[in-house]
Amino acid sequence: MRYRNAILIGVFLPLFLISVGVIESAPNKRPNAAQVTPQSISLTVNNTSDTSDLNPGDGVCDTDSVTAGSQCSLRAAIQEANTTLGTDTINFNIPASGVQTIALLSALPTITDALVIDGYSQPGSAPATNSIPAVIL
């Protein structure tokens, strides 16, 4: 009973203090309404760079306006996914062979909504089975 009361106090007291204005709630980290796309999207990382999306919220993961086609880094894909509501998916299709390493220059953006990051979508990778170890590229 003591723990139940502690949980109730730990949950409801801060909510009460926020509602009466004693403490401020944490700032909303979601983009403003003009930047949020209402539907889920699927994005594909196709390079190992650690560059930002050119225009988060436009529904296109692209880090390079000069190179033809979308150049999508993991950082840019997370930035773009953060601008949509619902569960987004990040897949991988990095065209080089062998092990691919994404060397981060700084911490990745905080993920602000449901997101599936499917590393096994990279061609050549495979999940482990009872008799075969995982192939992670």
Side-chain angles (χ1 to χ4, degrees):
M1 186 66 154
R2 180 187 327 160
Y3 295 112
R4 181 172 176 232
N5 290 341
I7 291 171
L8 290 175
I9 291 170
V11 171
F12 292 111
L13 183 60
L15 292 175
F16 172 75
L17 294 175
I18 290 169
S19 69
V20 296
V22 175
I23 60 175
E24 293 182 30
S25 61
N28 185 354
K29 294 191 179 211
R30 299 252 341 140
N32 67 42
Q35 296 174 306
V36 176
T37 305
Q39 70 277 357
S40 299
I41 58 175
S42 180
L43 303 157
T44 301
V45 173
N46 61 7
N47 68 54
T48 60
S49 71
D50 186 32
T51 49
S52 295
D53 190 61
L54 293 174
N55 189 13
D58 66 354
V60 177
C61 181
D62 195 5
T63 62
D64 184 352
S65 61
V66 176
T67 304
S70 293
Q71 305 303 309
C72 185
S73 69
L74 178 58
R75 178 176 304 282
I78 293 171
Q79 290 172 323
E80 197 64 46
N82 279 344
T83 67
T84 65
L85 302 175
T87 303
D88 301 309
T89 303
I90 295 177
N91 294 305
F92 293 82
N93 188 13
I94 301 169
S97 62
V99 175
Q100 300 301 307
T101 303
I102 298 172
L104 300 176
L105 302 174
S106 62
L108 288 169
T110 300
I111 295 170
T112 60
D113 200 8
L115 177 62
V116 174
I117 300 176
D118 185 2
Y120 287 120
S121 62
Q122 173 66 27
S125 64
T129 65
N130 287 336
S131 60
I132 302 171
V135 177
I136 303 172
L137 300 176

